[in-house]
């Protein structure tokens, strides 16, 4: 099963990808997480990507395509995988098509997370993330028991630099201009499955389950 989770920043792609991944054992391939891992390891790729990410801009296509090409060839991707935050441009979607063809597989569904923009701003500005295990929190809907400390691993819980109010607006603009055209792209291919991402986490999980089973 090969899935794409498509939707604006803050629509809940990462939250749902983690849940589905642990239920089905399909790895979550998040280009955002891969880039952040490179940043924390201080790699050249990470240093280069950080300049774009801190401003809310997209990292160049060839960088993320290269990362995905390498990752999908790993053994754990054999039963299937969930693409979270990739592709984000039409050239990335075209490259993905070619990569999957090269490896003899094909996309099953593109799940579109539909959500209103005022809810996105609320979710992103209140999001907090554990620097150690990646667990996600929200200051209103899912606060940590102890402020700044991860309930799961005790790591420190921080606000992502790109969840700053000034950068959120830029990320939403970038989504509209560069990523939203993929809705039409995948709709024409008959792969798009629309889903209400405004609902509670458990109801969104249920909607996704009804698509992928
Ligand atoms: P990335 O890390 O992919 O970020 P994003 O797409 O902007 O998505 P987010 O992680 O912000 O949101 P999400 O939809 O996963 O929502 P989440 O589940 O966290 O990318 C970061 C940057 O990396 C990009 O800006 C770009 O620079 C670069 N990049 C990455 N991929 C790239 C690519 N392919 N090409 C080029 N550049 C790339 O939820 C958000 C909050 O809401 C959380 O607090 C959560 O607890 C809460 N929440 C979730 N679901 C619900 C719900 N149903 N109800 C209430 N609250 C909820």
């Amino acid at each position: 099963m090969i899935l794409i989770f498509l939707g604006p920043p803050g629509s809940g792609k990462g939250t749902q990808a983690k849940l589905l991944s642990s239920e089905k054992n399909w790895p979550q391939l998040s280009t955002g997480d891969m880039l952040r891992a490179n940043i924390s390891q201080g790699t050249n790729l990470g240093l280069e990507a950080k300049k774009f990410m801190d401003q809310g801009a997209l990292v160049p296509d060839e960088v993320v395509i290269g990362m995905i090409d390498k990752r999908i060839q790993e053994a754990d991707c054999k039963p299937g995988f969930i693409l979270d935050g990739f592709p984000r441009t039409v050239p990335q979607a075209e490259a993905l098509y070619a990569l999957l063809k090269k490896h003899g597989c094909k996309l099953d569904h593109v799940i579109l997370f539909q959500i209103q923009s005022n809810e996105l701003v609320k979710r992103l500005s209140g999001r907090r993330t554990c620097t150690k295990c990646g667990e996600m929190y929200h200051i209103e809907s899912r606060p940590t028991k102890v402020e700044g400390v991860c309930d799961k691993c005790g790591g420190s819980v921080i606000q992502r630099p790109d969840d700053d109010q000034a950068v959120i607006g830029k990320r939403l603009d970038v989504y509209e201009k560069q990523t939203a055209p993929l809705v039409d792209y995948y709709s024409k291919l008959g792969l798009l499955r629309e889903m209400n991402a405004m609902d509670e986490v458990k109801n969104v999980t249920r909607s996704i389950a009804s698509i992928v089973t």
Side-chain angles (χ1 to χ4, degrees), residues 7-13 52-58 88 113-125 127 160 162-181:
S11 55
K13 305 180 297 295
F52 296 94
M53 293 169 79
D54 283 354
Q55 290 170 28
L58 294 184
R88 263 173 143 103
F113 285 58
Q114 291 184 303
I115 187 163
Q116 288 162 11
S117 55
N118 56 342
E119 175 70 10
L120 294 174
V121 175
K122 222 164 70 189
R123 287 190 190 179
L124 290 171
S125 54
R127 174 168 58 185
R160 259 169 56 174
D162 60 345
D163 280 345
D164 180 82
Q165 200 86 23
V167 187
I168 291 173
K170 173 77 195 293
R171 288 165 65 202
L172 297 178
D173 277 357
V174 166
Y175 176 80
E176 283 309 320
K177 292 197 182 95
Q178 294 180 259
T179 308

Side-chain angles (χ1 to χ4, degrees), residues 163-210:
D163 280 345
D164 180 82
Q165 200 86 23
V167 187
I168 291 173
K170 173 77 195 293
R171 288 165 65 202
L172 297 178
D173 277 357
V174 166
Y175 176 80
E176 283 309 320
K177 292 197 182 95
Q178 294 180 259
T179 308
L182 292 180
V183 173
D184 207 34
Y185 178 92
Y186 284 118
S187 169
K188 284 183 179 142
L189 292 174
L191 292 169
L192 198 75
R193 320 278 177 250
E194 299 181 19
M195 196 260 315
N196 175 18
M198 290 287 289
D199 216 335
E200 279 178 57
V201 171
K202 66 175 192 310
N203 294 338
V204 175
T205 306
R206 251 185 238 134
S207 305
I208 295 172
S210 71

Side-chain angles (χ1 to χ4, degrees), residues 14-15 25 36 53 85 104 110 128 150 156 166 176 187 191 195 207 209:
T15 301
N25 232 4
R36 280 184 291 277
M53 293 169 79
V110 178
R128 299 293 181 267
C150 180
S156 86
E176 283 309 320
S187 169
L191 292 169
M195 196 260 315
S207 305

Side-chain angles (χ1 to χ4, degrees), residues 5 7 14 16 24 32 55 57 94-95 107 120 122 127 157 181 204:
F5 281 6
Q16 295 297 333
K24 301 277 193 187
Q55 290 170 28
E94 287 166 346
L107 254 180
L120 294 174
K122 222 164 70 189
R127 174 168 58 185
V157 171
V204 175

